[in-house]
Amino acid sequence: MTQTPDDRNPAAEPHLRWIGRNAPRVEDGVLLRGGAIFLDDIDAPDALEATFVRSPVAHGLIRAIDMSAARALPGVHGVYAFADLRAILTGDRIPLALPAGGLRFDVDPPCLAIDEVCYVGEPVVLVAATSRRIAEDAAALVVLDIEPLPAVVDPAEGLAEGAPKARLDTPDNLVAHTKVDYGDVEGAFAGAAHVIEAEFRLNKGGGHPMEPRGVLARYDAMEERLTVWNSTQMPHRAKAMLVASLGLSEHQVRVATPEVGGGFGTKAVFHPEELAIPAAAMLLRRPLKWVEDRFESFTASIGERDQIWTVAAAFEADGRLRGIRGRLRYDHGAATPYGIALPFNAATNLIGPYVLPAYRVLIDLCMTNKTPAAPTRGAGRPQGTFVMERLLDRAALDLHIARDEIRRRNMITPAQMPYTIPVKQRDGSMMVYDSGDYPECQRRALEAAGWDDFPERQAQARREGRRIGLGLANYVEATGRGPFESVGISIGPSGKVVVTSGATAQGQGVKTMLAQVVGDVLGLEPASIHVIVGDTSATAAGLGAYASRQAVTAGNAAHAAATLLVKKAREATAALLETSVDDLEIHNGVIQVKGVPGHGRSLTQIARALAGTPGFALPGNLAPGLSASNDFMTSGLSYTNGCHLAEVEVDPDTGGVKLNRYVVVHDCGRMINPMMVEGQILGGVVHGIGMTLFEWMRYDSEGQPLTVTFADYLLPTSDVVPRIEIHHLESPTPLNPLGVKGAAESGTIGAPATIVSGVEDALRDLDIRIDKLPITPAELRRLIRAARAAPPSPGSAP
Amino acid sequence: MFDAHDITLTVNGAEVRARVDARSNLADFLRHHLRLTGTHVGCEHGVCGACTVLVDGASARSCLMLAVQADGRRIETIEGVARDGELHPIQAALSRHHGLQCGYCTPGVVMTLIELERDRQGRVLGEDEIRAALSGNLCRCTGYQGMVDAALELWGANTE
């Protein structure tokens, strides 16, 4: 059942003390005061600092490396090429490979280039010195002798016959070939009333967290233990990579995240530096710190790249989809750090909230001489959604159906839920949409944005010499990816409630979210609960931040663990008071006799009793300690959905696009903290605005990156983003007890399709078709000029 | 190998004397010499605004200024904003309006807003003016809306 927050009757859900409320964030105080400790703020007075000598060319063979002058510089403690680190590594490559159907070969990266460099920015030499400045002085003295090789820059060219190879150690550039294929595609096209063909070239850039990556490693030779502070989204995976690569056992490695200044996918993948720095610290027997600078961030951190889509869509005369077929060529960069998730997400998310009876897309992943591609916020889905929504807009025009109506005619209805699509996911299960009301979501968005009277406003604006347009897009997002997340809760004799989790925090408010869920069950203020996330020494197993998953997985684990803890506290109190468990309830952190405030035991008293006294029995012969834990195991992906509308204004002389208004109707099921959910949506939408209008990671024909500063690669700023209005539906998922779905990436997914729909609407009389992202002023002006020079197409308005 | 210079400056109201390398920038001096690590470094080329501090009351990118140039100047950083343990009204409003998430850009945003607060001299501010003032601070998390709403609550038309 779908409800809005306004519909909810608090009296019907009296237990909802904290869940659903805008609790103040427990993270804010220290961040606002400037007292938070990010990676570069860790006080490690005896630490050396590192920098890397990186490949200056996109592709080449290392003939020689002269490190003698660098090693002779005062203050330099170590200069290492791959061979120098290899002695303490178990293998040449970092075992990153994710199992993925369709991969023809894995290309795991080494921690430093071995003999071939395959992208500009690939680390080749590590320099450690008493300061970063001296390390950089020394790095400038390292002489790389590299024989250049032809570079593969464009994935379409890289897949063509006779193309040079992006890596000499692979059979060809086709690193993976896979497909999504179901239904009678041939029949769909044979009987179609109308067919639309299109080609799209869609760029997406990096995550660009404001804090770049960073690693501080300290090896304790006496205890033979390695501690690595890492600005990462996935510390447990980083630990696994270090254990495997350094030949250590689990008890010898701790990976901990300090405060992390944003992730957005950039910090999910394990990068070569995350092994090189700990390895060098072990050789140096000194703590070693490396903080990525912004140039390194643009060249050495993963990002998304170009998707080239060649598609055709078959429609009935009434606008209903019969089928889609096509090909997706993907620029995968120079290694495979994250399987084939990106293009597969793009291909499956194309389907969106619509009934698509037949679908076949052949997916070719091309190795190129660029920094490896891996998911950033949205993870390929904005592109797939873009393709579907553009096809629907074009069919609407051709078939003379309103853009909202063609979507309505194709939408999956609530009565069809759960809705199964015969596509196998990564875990082997079918794609199943669990819940949601897509028609109602669109209806509310149209109403909020004033869809029905927009043509009048558009005509009025046109009389004033202004071109405005209204864009529309619907989308879904698979959230809460498994297999599990862990939460432990313990209360010791101090009475302090400590929550630990394998979840990790990069700004989402994960600590607040977990404290709210636990506080809700225990009847305690979230601010009184201490939460530890992102530390492998606090939580044995965990996965971390990816796929909009932590409220779903860790949130439900916290709820289950807190419920178990209360159960044990009641059993202990029943023994202490010699009463029945059934007569006890928890109220404000006290287990009390039902309806008798003051007659009971506080959680602190229970914790003390369960800590044990030498020689005495524990209350009720319970196991010692007031603690509980849960690993929440997912039973499927929960699908968040949304509808975006954007009113845009286009200046045909400059090609500039201004966003006048932006409306989101969003459904991520039940919300734990609506303020934080909206924060995720806002940031996501603005990331999508950037991808559509500003952000463009460009390379020249030799594979040299051209956009390596924030002056060249533009992030959206406060003066170019509009106020974003957010409305919620809440369709709780049946897949978890809290009914929550993820919200972290959803905003990004709808934005590009929505904005481009609006731009085309503003230029309808010119019949402009936008097939590329981003849509820069120069590109839009080129399209407008070309349209004005062309003879009017039949049926277009004067 | 590099010239050292003796400088005297005021940081958050206290006099500081130090010997610095000629090539040390103000951000590194504050962070690594004085251990005032609340001033963050996001790009080191003067675009992101994370390292914004006030120099003689005016906002400045501490990554684009040499430490020696701070000689004789009055520097204000995020560490001096909250007084007697109480958050400054700008800081409290940012929290109320969820104007921060990861918090990395936040110190620069707070310093920019403190300058805006002083410059407005009691004037009511509109949303466009606030958005223009914040346009030199990059944030990847919030979409800026919470920051704008915090400033509007403090200085917008409905609050005077």
Side-chain angles (χ1 to χ4, degrees), chain B residues 81-137:
Chain B
V81 174
R83 291 285 161 82
D84 305 323
E86 290 293 308
L87 290 179
H88 187 282
I90 291 169
Q91 293 170 315
L94 283 170
S95 183
R96 272 197 302 283
H97 291 278
H98 198 21
L100 69 155
Q101 289 183 26
C102 81
Y104 197 77
C105 74
T106 305
V109 168
V110 170
M111 301 318 288
T112 296
L113 290 175
I114 284 175
E115 180 185 47
L116 179 64
E117 211 271 330
R118 291 175 188 170
D119 286 354
R120 82 184 182 103
Q121 297 185 323
R123 274 185 318 118
V124 168
L125 298 181
E127 180 163 344
D128 287 351
E129 225 171 339
I130 292 164
R131 285 186 180 272
L134 284 169
S135 65
N137 292 83

Side-chain angles (χ1 to χ4, degrees), chain A residues 25 28 695 716 718 723, chain B residues 31 95 101 131 140 144 149:
Chain A
R25 296 206 325 160
D28 283 358
E695 299 180 40
S718 56
R723 177 161 292 277
Chain B
R31 291 177 47 74
S95 183
Q101 289 183 26
R131 285 186 180 272
R140 193 56 150 171
Y144 307 102
D149 287 344

Side-chain angles (χ1 to χ4, degrees), chain A residues 24-25 27-29 31-38 40-43 73 133-134 137 206-212 259-262 264 289 293-294 298 377 506-508 675-676 678-680 682-684 686-687 695 708-711 713 715-719 721-725, chain B residues 1-2 21 23-25 28 31-32 35 37-45 47-48 50 78-79 81-82 85-87 90-92 94-98 100-107 110 127 130-146 148-149 152:
Chain A
R25 296 206 325 160
E27 293 88 349
D28 283 358
L31 292 169
L32 284 161
R33 291 167 200 270
I37 303 298
F38 292 87
D40 192 38
D41 306 335
I42 298 171
D43 192 8
L73 193 74
R133 265 178 247 160
I134 292 171
D137 289 343
H208 301 296
M210 296 319 300
E211 181 207 31
E259 206 77 51
V260 177
F264 316 111
K289 178 166 81 172
D293 70 23
R294 193 52 69 176
F298 275 105
R377 196 173 204 165
Q506 302 85 40
Q508 309 93 321
M675 175 186 82
M676 299 199 311
E678 293 193 357
Q680 291 300 303
L682 289 169
V686 171
H687 199 138
E695 299 180 40
V708 294
T709 71
F710 282 140
Y713 183 103
L715 293 188
T717 49
S718 56
D719 54 342
V721 303
R723 177 161 292 277
I724 295 160
E725 302 169 33
Chain B
M1 179 157 63
F2 293 96
D21 273 355
R23 66 171 172 170
S24 178
N25 70 34
D28 285 349
R31 291 177 47 74
H32 302 307
R35 296 295 308 160
T37 55
T39 297
H40 297 152
V41 175
C43 73
E44 294 177 286
H45 50 257
V47 180
C48 82
I78 188 66
E79 286 87 352
V81 174
E86 290 293 308
L87 290 179
I90 291 169
Q91 293 170 315
L94 283 170
S95 183
R96 272 197 302 283
H97 291 278
H98 198 21
L100 69 155
Q101 289 183 26
C102 81
Y104 197 77
C105 74
T106 305
V110 170
E127 180 163 344
I130 292 164
R131 285 186 180 272
L134 284 169
S135 65
N137 292 83
L138 293 179
C139 169
R140 193 56 150 171
C141 297
T142 65
Y144 307 102
Q145 196 152 306
V148 172
D149 287 344
L152 280 172

Side-chain angles (χ1 to χ4, degrees), chain A residues 112-171:
Chain A
L112 294 172
I114 301 172
D115 47 18
E116 183 183 3
V117 287
C118 294
Y119 58 96
V120 173
E122 183 170 4
V124 181
V125 173
L126 184 159
V127 181
T130 50
S131 75
R132 175 69 176 249
R133 265 178 247 160
I134 292 171
E136 291 196 8
D137 289 343
L141 300 174
V142 172
V143 181
L144 297 183
D145 182 1
I146 295 177
E147 176 188 337
L149 293 171
V152 177
V153 181
D154 183 283
E157 291 171 14
L159 292 169
E161 194 100 2
K165 287 203 291 184
R167 304 190 69 107
L168 300 184
D169 55 358
T170 62

